[in-house]
Amino acid sequence: MQTMERRPVVPVHPRSRRPAPWPVEFYRSAVGKKWVMAVTGILLMGYVFAHMVGNLKVYLGAEDINHYGEFLRELFVPIVPRTVTLWVMRVGLALAFAFHIHAAASLTLMNRRAHAEGGYISRRDWQAANAASRSMRWTGVVIGLFVLWHLADLTWGTVNPDFVRGDVYRNMVASFERPAVSAIYIVANVALGIHLFHGAWSMFQSLGLNNPRWNSWRRGFAAGFAGIVMVGNLSFPIAVLTGVVSADDNPDCTVSGGTIDTCELYQEAAR
């Protein structure tokens, strides 16, 4: 007598994956990632523009730029403790930066998979998109590495031998008077200008605002915004290298032989 083997029972309706909350499901889609890239891009564009405009105070002298630095630490005091608002802004920018990078990398992988699977994108369109994404990818890498250097140089002071907490003016001069460091800033800000131009142009398309009638306006905005930020940022190392901005114009610190001896006023304010 033959024994009958039991076969595993396959459900007629296999259990589907439990849906995630709407924001997560939206972000998993290509449209969601494009929106996240656009929104975080707007936040980061606003930051780099405001950062550049604030740093223009260096041309007004040490007192103005140092007072501006102290103003940022005192935002919303006494409602919140000193520097809390500044750190909240920094954390928000770090999150925007992280989401921007993750969305960009995810979209690149999705585009590659669609192309490998024989999607409907024509070869010419794919080559154009790939060239643009390559430019954004490499300038993005340069900007990411530069942000780490910039923090170590002018925020933490670990790579700036003459760094003094609170003396923004002297720290900028101490950094940019080194030609190699100025070269890093110049190259990074050229990459930032290229990235801003492509990003500002594609941002409208990501948000669905890509009417051909607006293309000339979009291009003008992208070129103008990127150009203003790049020229403003490039002016700082060039001004220090050419002597337009120098340590001799800083009355708040005692400098001997190019080395800071004392800077009591802003050391005390920075604590």
Side-chain angles (χ1 to χ4, degrees):
M1 181 177 179
Q2 290 183 335
T3 58
M4 298 183 63
E5 297 180 357
R6 289 187 177 182
R7 297 180 180 179
V9 178
V10 179
V12 177
H13 300 289
R15 186 178 300 175
S16 59
R17 179 174 58 88
R18 186 175 182 178
W22 179 83
V24 177
E25 290 292 339
F26 180 66
Y27 182 67
R28 285 173 175 169
S29 67
V31 174
K33 286 181 171 59
K34 288 180 179 180
W35 267 82
V36 168
M37 275 200 71
V39 172
T40 55
I42 291 171
L43 293 174
L44 294 170
M45 286 170 61
Y47 167 74
V48 296
F49 182 79
H51 186 61
M52 183 273 296
V53 171
N55 284 338
L56 288 175
K57 288 183 176 292
V58 72
Y59 295 116
L60 300 177
E63 184 176 355
D64 283 89
I65 188 71
N66 287 343
H67 179 72
Y68 168 67
E70 185 60 20
F71 161 77
L72 294 177
R73 301 184 192 96
E74 296 282 350
L75 280 173
F76 296 114
V77 172
I79 299 175
V80 295
R82 188 175 179 277
T83 73
V84 167
T85 303
L86 183 60
W87 276 104
V88 169
M89 293 168 59
R90 286 170 173 168
V91 171
L93 286 168
L95 290 174
F97 199 69
F99 273 105
H100 195 76
I101 294 173
H102 184 267
S106 299
L107 280 171
T108 299
L109 293 175
M110 291 173 72
N111 288 336
R112 285 180 178 175
R113 283 196 297 265
H115 180 66
E117 293 170 2
Y120 59 85
I121 302 175
S122 68
R123 182 174 181 82
R124 183 175 179 181
D125 290 341
W126 167 257
Q127 289 175 341
N130 196 34
S133 64
R134 260 202 309 270
S135 171
M136 293 295 282
R137 185 162 60 246
W138 287 113
T139 54
V141 170
V142 172
I143 293 167
L145 294 174
F146 170 70
V147 167
L148 295 176
W149 169 269
H150 186 57
L151 290 171
D153 186 23
L154 294 177
T155 300
W156 306 323
T158 53
V159 297
N160 190 336
D162 287 339
F163 183 83
V164 175
R165 285 179 59 84
D167 191 359
V168 181
Y169 185 94
R170 176 54 196 170
N171 292 338
M172 291 178 68
V173 173
S175 177
F176 296 144
E177 67 186 0
R178 297 172 290 171
V181 174
S182 284
I184 292 174
Y185 275 84
I186 290 171
V187 170
N189 278 287
V190 170
L192 176 63
I194 296 171
H195 197 87
L196 285 174
F197 173 74
H198 286 301
W201 167 263
S202 61
M203 172 182 66
F204 295 96
Q205 186 173 358
S206 298
L207 295 173
L209 306 174
N210 55 346
N211 193 307
R213 292 179 298 177
W214 304 339
N215 282 350
S216 60
W217 181 87
R218 288 169 57 196
R219 183 173 293 276
F221 169 77
F225 183 86
I228 290 171
V229 172
M230 184 174 69
V231 170
N233 284 338
L234 289 178
S235 73
F236 305 131
I238 293 173
V240 173
L241 289 175
T242 57
V244 174
V245 174
S246 68
D248 297 335
D249 300 325
N250 188 354
D252 303 309
C253 295
T254 302
V255 182
S256 176
T259 303
I260 296 176
D261 291 333
T262 59
C263 197
E264 291 88 353
L265 175 62
Y266 286 101
Q267 277 183 325
E268 184 66 29
R271 292 193 182 115

